[in-house]
Amino acid sequence: ATFLTNQSINPSIIDGTMADPSAASIQEPFRRVHISPDDITSASSATAAATTRTIPILQRSLDAKSESLKLRQVSPVCVLVVGMAGSGKTTLMAALQRSLSIPGGDGDEGNDDDGDNHAVEDDGEGGDEENDKVGGKGGEGDKGEPKNDKESNKCKAPVGYCLNLDPATKLVPFGASIDIRDTVDYKEVMKQHRLGPNGAIMTSLNLFSTKFDQVMSILENRAYQYEEEKGNKNEVDGRVPKSMNINKDSQNSLPYKKALDYILVDTPGQIEAFTWSASGTIITSALSSAFPTVLAFVVDTPRCVASLNTFMSNMLYACSMFYRTRLPLVIVFNKSDVVGSEVCMEWMDSYEKFQEALDDFMSTEGGQGYYASLTRSLSLVLDEFYTTLDRVGLSAATGDGIEQFWNVVEKAADNFDEDYVSDLQCKVDEQNAKKRALARDSLKRMQRDLETKES
């Protein structure tokens, strides 16, 4: 294998022979470097351990395999909830949180809440009094929820941790432990930078992403509980670095356990501001490099059933997000209490059923032109794409289908370990092989330079 590098070279010396001296000042922008089998073998053996320690998700995957466990059994699953405005995305977040228990509910981690809130306060301009609550600005509704649940159900419920990344929302109906509004003032961004609503949302996300390493430290600290932390409470810097030293002197069990089951992230309703922005890529990459991450794309079911054009538009958007992030994608057909999601799922499962519905829709709408032909062609292309997608129908208003949603998320998390982690490991090995090949090529060129000078 070969690759191109943009490191400039001096063409006056090529393969040990002198070229035209007048061309000595010319620099070629690219050169081709050959990767030998020894580079691949040496890279995967010599630098694999060091690289694995720097990428937490690779280390977690190795730990899970060493214990014959699944990755989601040793690490919390991060669910990125995305969706168009009006799809019921935020209402779904509230319904998902109600099905979970809050961190520290068992009393083991109750003292850690002050640490999280203090870290968020140091991150920006948030209100001090509101951060004392579990949900920050949106925590009022969540504070009383555990009292409505029975103690037995509360102990059995998985533990969830919620983040709000929508800077423009006024009311959050769920308890957000980390809230972007505590760090970035959306209206102040509009005023100072003279931006519109969408521009202010993107700018707020950009500002927040510059401090997202602190958010990752908080999540790492909350997601895992280490055995050495029980005996040493004075140790403060025990977040990300400790995860690098796991699995040593431990053959039967890991020296840590996960303290969270799910991390829920609510994104802005202007979906393109998150999925197609640099800040969205930074946030998504950071989360997927530390936790098994799943995209939950919320779809407005009544609008899709009413118009095949809307259904096809949502499927195309799901396809674009899937190939941009390469993360497992779950399509959530929301508002199934209004219109059942069986119709949309049938269209995804059967190409013939969709064609019949398209014929009826076009005859009713009276359109048989270019758009109808395009929809038929796209449906044929996406038919193969549907086989890789997980889907579930639910109602965020009534709570029906929430259990099925968690089952589908677990399946998608397993696909993350099989596909995304393996692809990430291949990319790491490829980069290491390129580094070794580039070092070997540089060494040969230096030797040729020395031999030329001596001659």
Side-chain angles (χ1 to χ4, degrees):
T2 59
F3 70 98
L4 295 177
T5 177
N6 60 352
Q7 291 188 2
S8 60
I9 61 174
N10 188 345
S12 60
I13 303 176
I14 302 178
D15 296 331
T17 60
M18 294 296 296
D20 185 6
S22 62
S25 60
I26 301 177
Q27 291 185 341
E28 295 183 1
F30 294 97
R31 76 174 186 274
R32 189 175 297 274
V33 178
H34 176 71
I35 301 179
S36 65
D38 294 337
D39 294 328
I40 300 176
T41 305
S42 301
S44 56
S45 60
T47 60
T51 306
T52 300
R53 287 194 297 269
T54 59
I55 303 180
I57 193 65
L58 297 181
Q59 181 66 60
R60 305 293 181 193
S61 180
L62 291 178
D63 293 339
K65 292 178 181 179
S66 66
E67 298 294 327
S68 300
L69 298 174
K70 296 182 179 179
L71 179 60
R72 58 180 171 84
Q73 293 178 313
V74 300
S75 175
V77 178
C78 179
V79 181
L80 285 169
V81 183
V82 297
M84 300 289 185
S87 62
K89 172 178 59 64
T90 304
T91 307
L92 176 61
M93 280 285 299
L96 294 177
Q97 190 187 52
R98 285 193 295 269
S99 65
L100 303 174
S101 60
I102 62 175
D106 297 332
D108 295 336
E109 304 176 8
N111 296 330
D112 293 338
D113 289 339
D114 295 335
D116 282 2
N117 293 328
H118 178 68
V120 174
E121 290 173 9
D122 291 343
D123 210 18
E125 305 171 354
D128 298 338
E129 296 179 358
E130 293 177 350
N131 280 329
D132 293 336
K133 303 176 183 179
V134 176
K137 293 187 177 182
E140 293 85 348
D142 183 60
K143 190 174 182 181
E145 287 175 1
K147 296 180 182 179
N148 298 329
D149 298 332
K150 295 181 180 180
E151 291 296 330
S152 59
N153 295 334
K154 177 182 173 182
C155 296
K156 295 179 182 179
V159 182
Y161 198 80
C162 295
L163 285 75
N164 174 45
L165 298 183
D166 190 353
T169 183
K170 291 184 178 180
L171 176 63
V172 177
F174 57 90
S177 299
I178 299 178
D179 198 329
I180 187 175
R181 299 173 302 165
D182 295 334
T183 304
V184 182
D185 191 336
Y186 169 74
K187 292 184 178 180
E188 192 66 23
V189 170
M190 292 182 64
K191 180 180 178 181
Q192 291 185 5
H193 299 275
R194 298 180 180 180
L195 298 172
N198 291 339
I201 291 176
M202 292 190 63
T203 303
S204 300
L205 286 173
N206 292 338
L207 294 173
F208 190 71
S209 63
T210 60
K211 300 293 183 180
F212 203 73
D213 59 324
Q214 300 182 22
V215 177
M216 293 302 301
S217 297
I218 295 175
L219 293 178
E220 285 277 354
N221 188 40
R222 294 292 293 170
Y224 305 103
Q225 182 179 4
Y226 295 88
E227 294 181 356
E228 58 264 29
E229 290 180 355
K230 299 179 181 179
N232 186 9
K233 294 184 179 181
N234 295 326
E235 190 171 358
V236 178
D237 191 15
R239 294 174 179 173
V240 179
K242 281 190 176 181
S243 64
M244 304 299 105
N245 296 326
I246 56 180
N247 223 17
K248 65 178 183 178
D249 300 332
S250 177
Q251 297 180 355
N252 299 325
S253 62
L254 300 175
Y256 67 91
K257 66 177 182 179
K258 66 174 184 178
L260 300 174
D261 294 299
Y262 297 101
I263 299 175
L264 303 178
V265 182
D266 187 22
T267 58
Q270 287 77 0
I271 185 172
E272 67 280 354
F274 180 80
T275 56
W276 295 101
S277 63
S279 57
T281 303
I282 293 173
I283 293 173
T284 303
S285 300
L287 291 172
S288 59
S289 65
F291 309 102
T293 305
V294 176
L295 277 177
F297 181 46
V298 185
V299 177
D300 192 340
T301 306
R303 295 184 62 186
C304 289
V305 174
S307 174
L308 287 178
N309 299 339
T310 304
F311 173 80
M312 185 58 63
S313 299
N314 279 281
M315 295 302 103
L316 287 175
Y317 217 107
C319 179
S320 65
M321 288 192 300
F322 179 76
Y323 281 105
R324 177 173 173 80
T325 62
R326 298 189 178 274
L327 295 174
L329 181 67
V330 176
I331 296 183
V332 182
F333 290 102
N334 194 16
K335 304 180 183 180
S336 61
D337 57 322
V338 180
V339 177
S341 59
E342 294 80 9
V343 177
C344 294
M345 291 188 178
E346 187 179 40
W347 290 345
M348 297 179 67
D349 293 333
S350 175
Y351 173 76
E352 291 76 14
K353 292 291 184 181
F354 181 80
Q355 295 302 316
E356 295 175 2
L358 182 60
D359 293 336
D360 296 338
F361 178 74
M362 290 303 173
S363 61
T364 304
E365 296 292 328
Q368 293 291 338
Y370 170 75
Y371 198 84
S373 176
L374 177 62
T375 304
R376 294 184 189 277
S377 301
L378 290 175
S379 63
L380 180 61
V381 173
L382 294 179
D383 186 62
E384 184 68 21
F385 170 70
Y386 294 152
T387 59
T388 63
L389 289 182
D390 296 312
R391 74 290 301 258
V392 62
L394 53 80
S395 172
T398 62
D400 295 336
I402 297 297
E403 291 298 328
Q404 290 82 352
F405 172 82
W406 291 126
N407 294 334
V408 173
V409 166
E410 290 181 357
K411 178 183 176 182
D414 295 338
N415 294 335
F416 175 90
D417 190 17
E418 297 174 2
D419 300 331
Y420 186 87
V421 175
S422 300
D423 184 61
L424 180 61
Q425 184 64 59
C426 291
K427 290 181 179 179
V428 170
D429 294 340
E430 181 182 358
Q431 291 298 324
N432 292 334
K434 287 183 178 180
K435 290 180 180 179
R436 291 187 61 86
L438 187 61
R440 176 178 51 80
D441 181 73
S442 299
L443 180 61
K444 289 183 177 180
R445 291 191 297 110
M446 184 185 69
Q447 292 175 350
R448 287 197 298 265
D449 292 344
L450 295 176
E451 292 175 358
T452 304
K453 290 182 179 180
E454 292 177 356
S455 59

